[in-house]
mmCIF file of all heavy atoms in Angstrom:
data_model
loop_
_atom_site.group_PDB
_atom_site.id
_atom_site.type_symbol
_atom_site.label_atom_id
_atom_site.label_comp_id
_atom_site.label_asym_id
_atom_site.label_seq_id
_atom_site.Cartn_x
_atom_site.Cartn_y
_atom_site.Cartn_z
ATOM 1 N N VAL G 15 -14.177 -8.562 27.211
ATOM 2 C CA VAL G 15 -13.875 -8.182 25.833
ATOM 3 C C VAL G 15 -12.411 -7.775 25.706
ATOM 4 O O VAL G 15 -11.747 -8.113 24.719
ATOM 5 C CB VAL G 15 -14.824 -7.057 25.360
ATOM 6 C CG1 VAL G 15 -14.406 -6.520 24.006
ATOM 7 C CG2 VAL G 15 -16.250 -7.574 25.305
ATOM 8 N N ARG G 19 -9.658 -9.112 23.035
ATOM 9 C CA ARG G 19 -8.902 -8.226 22.151
ATOM 10 C C ARG G 19 -7.419 -8.540 22.240
ATOM 11 O O ARG G 19 -6.720 -8.529 21.246
ATOM 12 C CB ARG G 19 -9.132 -6.767 22.530
ATOM 13 C CG ARG G 19 -10.453 -6.270 22.071
ATOM 14 C CD ARG G 19 -10.558 -4.793 22.320
ATOM 15 N NE ARG G 19 -11.886 -4.344 21.945
ATOM 16 C CZ ARG G 19 -12.500 -3.332 22.506
ATOM 17 N NH1 ARG G 19 -11.908 -2.638 23.443
ATOM 18 N NH2 ARG G 19 -13.705 -3.001 22.104
ATOM 19 N N ARG G 58 -10.576 -6.326 14.845
ATOM 20 C CA ARG G 58 -10.995 -5.991 16.211
ATOM 21 C C ARG G 58 -12.511 -6.064 16.338
ATOM 22 O O ARG G 58 -13.046 -6.616 17.300
ATOM 23 C CB ARG G 58 -10.514 -4.594 16.589
ATOM 24 C CG ARG G 58 -11.020 -4.167 17.946
ATOM 25 C CD ARG G 58 -10.633 -2.759 18.278
ATOM 26 N NE ARG G 58 -11.399 -2.319 19.429
ATOM 27 C CZ ARG G 58 -11.287 -1.129 19.953
ATOM 28 N NH1 ARG G 58 -10.473 -0.250 19.455
ATOM 29 N NH2 ARG G 58 -12.014 -0.798 20.995
ATOM 30 N N ARG G 61 -13.501 -9.686 16.490
ATOM 31 C CA ARG G 61 -13.208 -10.278 17.814
ATOM 32 C C ARG G 61 -14.195 -9.769 18.864
ATOM 33 O O ARG G 61 -14.635 -10.517 19.726
ATOM 34 C CB ARG G 61 -11.771 -9.970 18.238
ATOM 35 C CG ARG G 61 -10.740 -10.856 17.602
ATOM 36 C CD ARG G 61 -9.395 -10.736 18.292
ATOM 37 N NE ARG G 61 -8.920 -9.373 18.400
ATOM 38 C CZ ARG G 61 -8.209 -8.722 17.469
ATOM 39 N NH1 ARG G 61 -7.893 -9.325 16.354
ATOM 40 N NH2 ARG G 61 -7.801 -7.491 17.671
ATOM 41 N N ASP G 62 -14.526 -8.474 18.780
ATOM 42 C CA ASP G 62 -15.514 -7.927 19.718
ATOM 43 C C ASP G 62 -16.853 -8.644 19.567
ATOM 44 O O ASP G 62 -17.504 -8.974 20.557
ATOM 45 C CB ASP G 62 -15.720 -6.430 19.483
ATOM 46 C CG ASP G 62 -14.566 -5.571 19.974
ATOM 47 O OD1 ASP G 62 -13.640 -6.108 20.608
ATOM 48 O OD2 ASP G 62 -14.588 -4.349 19.701
ATOM 49 N N ALA G 63 -17.260 -8.888 18.323
ATOM 50 C CA ALA G 63 -18.526 -9.578 18.075
ATOM 51 C C ALA G 63 -18.516 -10.970 18.686
ATOM 52 O O ALA G 63 -19.474 -11.373 19.356
ATOM 53 C CB ALA G 63 -18.800 -9.652 16.573
ATOM 54 N N LEU G 66 -18.849 -10.681 22.390
ATOM 55 C CA LEU G 66 -20.213 -10.395 22.829
ATOM 56 C C LEU G 66 -21.071 -11.652 22.816
ATOM 57 O O LEU G 66 -21.871 -11.879 23.730
ATOM 58 C CB LEU G 66 -20.846 -9.325 21.945
ATOM 59 C CG LEU G 66 -20.187 -7.953 21.974
ATOM 60 C CD1 LEU G 66 -20.911 -6.995 21.037
ATOM 61 C CD2 LEU G 66 -20.113 -7.398 23.377
ATOM 62 N N PHE G 97 -27.535 -0.765 19.690
ATOM 63 C CA PHE G 97 -26.452 -1.730 19.919
ATOM 64 C C PHE G 97 -25.352 -1.064 20.734
ATOM 65 O O PHE G 97 -24.857 -1.638 21.701
ATOM 66 C CB PHE G 97 -25.915 -2.217 18.569
ATOM 67 C CG PHE G 97 -24.792 -3.199 18.674
ATOM 68 C CD1 PHE G 97 -25.044 -4.554 18.823
ATOM 69 C CD2 PHE G 97 -23.471 -2.777 18.601
ATOM 70 C CE1 PHE G 97 -24.004 -5.467 18.907
ATOM 71 C CE2 PHE G 97 -22.426 -3.683 18.689
ATOM 72 C CZ PHE G 97 -22.690 -5.034 18.843
ATOM 73 N N ARG G 98 -24.979 0.144 20.363
ATOM 74 C CA ARG G 98 -23.911 0.879 21.055
ATOM 75 C C ARG G 98 -24.301 1.140 22.508
ATOM 76 O O ARG G 98 -23.484 1.008 23.407
ATOM 77 C CB ARG G 98 -23.650 2.199 20.322
ATOM 78 C CG ARG G 98 -22.603 3.072 20.968
ATOM 79 C CD ARG G 98 -21.223 2.471 20.751
ATOM 80 N NE ARG G 98 -20.198 3.361 21.216
ATOM 81 C CZ ARG G 98 -19.548 3.200 22.361
ATOM 82 N NH1 ARG G 98 -19.823 2.196 23.149
ATOM 83 N NH2 ARG G 98 -18.620 4.042 22.709
ATOM 84 N N ARG G 99 -25.561 1.501 22.748
ATOM 85 C CA ARG G 99 -26.008 1.734 24.130
ATOM 86 C C ARG G 99 -26.014 0.437 24.941
ATOM 87 O O ARG G 99 -25.696 0.434 26.122
ATOM 88 C CB ARG G 99 -27.395 2.363 24.135
ATOM 89 C CG ARG G 99 -27.389 3.865 23.911
ATOM 90 C CD ARG G 99 -28.752 4.482 24.162
ATOM 91 N NE ARG G 99 -29.724 4.154 23.137
ATOM 92 C CZ ARG G 99 -29.834 4.776 21.979
ATOM 93 N NH1 ARG G 99 -29.030 5.763 21.686
ATOM 94 N NH2 ARG G 99 -30.753 4.414 21.102
ATOM 95 N N TRP G 101 -24.084 -2.163 24.553
ATOM 96 C CA TRP G 101 -22.728 -2.668 24.748
ATOM 97 C C TRP G 101 -21.779 -1.487 24.860
ATOM 98 O O TRP G 101 -21.040 -1.179 23.937
ATOM 99 C CB TRP G 101 -22.321 -3.570 23.588
ATOM 100 C CG TRP G 101 -23.225 -4.740 23.435
ATOM 101 C CD1 TRP G 101 -24.239 -4.899 22.551
ATOM 102 C CD2 TRP G 101 -23.202 -5.924 24.226
ATOM 103 N NE1 TRP G 101 -24.853 -6.111 22.734
ATOM 104 C CE2 TRP G 101 -24.231 -6.765 23.754
ATOM 105 C CE3 TRP G 101 -22.414 -6.377 25.279
ATOM 106 C CZ2 TRP G 101 -24.493 -8.018 24.302
ATOM 107 C CZ3 TRP G 101 -22.666 -7.619 25.823
ATOM 108 C CH2 TRP G 101 -23.694 -8.420 25.339
ATOM 109 N N GLY G 102 -21.806 -0.840 26.008
ATOM 110 C CA GLY G 102 -20.992 0.350 26.232
ATOM 111 C C GLY G 102 -19.498 0.079 26.203
ATOM 112 O O GLY G 102 -19.036 -0.940 25.712
ATOM 113 N N GLY G 103 -18.763 1.004 26.752
ATOM 114 C CA GLY G 103 -17.309 0.879 26.770
ATOM 115 C C GLY G 103 -16.735 1.087 25.382
ATOM 116 O O GLY G 103 -17.165 1.965 24.647
ATOM 117 N N GLN G 104 -15.794 0.274 25.032
ATOM 118 C CA GLN G 104 -15.098 0.415 23.759
ATOM 119 C C GLN G 104 -15.769 -0.329 22.608
ATOM 120 O O GLN G 104 -15.230 -0.364 21.512
ATOM 121 C CB GLN G 104 -13.653 -0.069 23.908
ATOM 122 C CG GLN G 104 -12.829 0.767 24.840
ATOM 123 C CD GLN G 104 -12.651 2.177 24.316
ATOM 124 O OE1 GLN G 104 -12.378 2.375 23.142
ATOM 125 N NE2 GLN G 104 -12.818 3.163 25.175
ATOM 126 N N ILE G 105 -16.911 -0.946 22.854
ATOM 127 C CA ILE G 105 -17.614 -1.649 21.778
ATOM 128 C C ILE G 105 -18.343 -0.617 20.936
ATOM 129 O O ILE G 105 -19.185 0.118 21.419
ATOM 130 C CB ILE G 105 -18.642 -2.667 22.331
ATOM 131 C CG1 ILE G 105 -17.965 -3.677 23.238
ATOM 132 C CG2 ILE G 105 -19.386 -3.352 21.190
ATOM 133 C CD1 ILE G 105 -16.974 -4.574 22.559
ATOM 134 N N GLY G 106 -18.012 -0.570 19.674
ATOM 135 C CA GLY G 106 -18.661 0.376 18.784
ATOM 136 C C GLY G 106 -19.701 -0.309 17.920
ATOM 137 O O GLY G 106 -19.795 -1.539 17.889
ATOM 138 N N PRO G 107 -20.486 0.478 17.201
ATOM 139 C CA PRO G 107 -21.519 -0.100 16.354
ATOM 140 C C PRO G 107 -20.942 -0.939 15.210
ATOM 141 O O PRO G 107 -21.661 -1.710 14.593
ATOM 142 C CB PRO G 107 -22.279 1.126 15.827
ATOM 143 C CG PRO G 107 -21.343 2.267 15.983
ATOM 144 C CD PRO G 107 -20.466 1.938 17.148
ATOM 145 N N ASN G 108 -19.644 -0.807 14.943
ATOM 146 C CA ASN G 108 -19.041 -1.585 13.858
ATOM 147 C C ASN G 108 -18.914 -3.071 14.189
ATOM 148 O O ASN G 108 -18.632 -3.875 13.299
ATOM 149 C CB ASN G 108 -17.682 -1.011 13.481
ATOM 150 C CG ASN G 108 -17.814 0.346 12.825
ATOM 151 O OD1 ASN G 108 -18.757 0.597 12.093
ATOM 152 N ND2 ASN G 108 -16.895 1.233 13.121
ATOM 153 N N ALA G 109 -19.127 -3.452 15.433
ATOM 154 C CA ALA G 109 -19.139 -4.875 15.781
ATOM 155 C C ALA G 109 -20.481 -5.513 15.411
ATOM 156 O O ALA G 109 -20.557 -6.722 15.189
ATOM 157 C CB ALA G 109 -18.864 -5.062 17.271
ATOM 158 N N ARG G 110 -21.522 -4.708 15.323
ATOM 159 C CA ARG G 110 -22.872 -5.220 15.056
ATOM 160 C C ARG G 110 -22.961 -6.041 13.772
ATOM 161 O O ARG G 110 -23.550 -7.123 13.769
ATOM 162 C CB ARG G 110 -23.862 -4.063 15.044
ATOM 163 C CG ARG G 110 -25.309 -4.493 14.852
ATOM 164 C CD ARG G 110 -26.240 -3.278 14.913
ATOM 165 N NE ARG G 110 -27.626 -3.667 14.835
ATOM 166 C CZ ARG G 110 -28.427 -3.360 13.811
ATOM 167 N NH1 ARG G 110 -27.969 -2.646 12.800
ATOM 168 N NH2 ARG G 110 -29.680 -3.759 13.815
#
Side-chain angles (χ1 to χ4, degrees):
V15 172
R19 284 187 184 150
R58 175 184 167 180
R61 280 194 307 273
D62 286 354
L66 297 179
F97 179 86
R98 178 73 173 103
R99 278 190 288 278
W101 301 100
Q104 295 295 316
I105 302 295
N108 292 325
R110 183 178 184 246

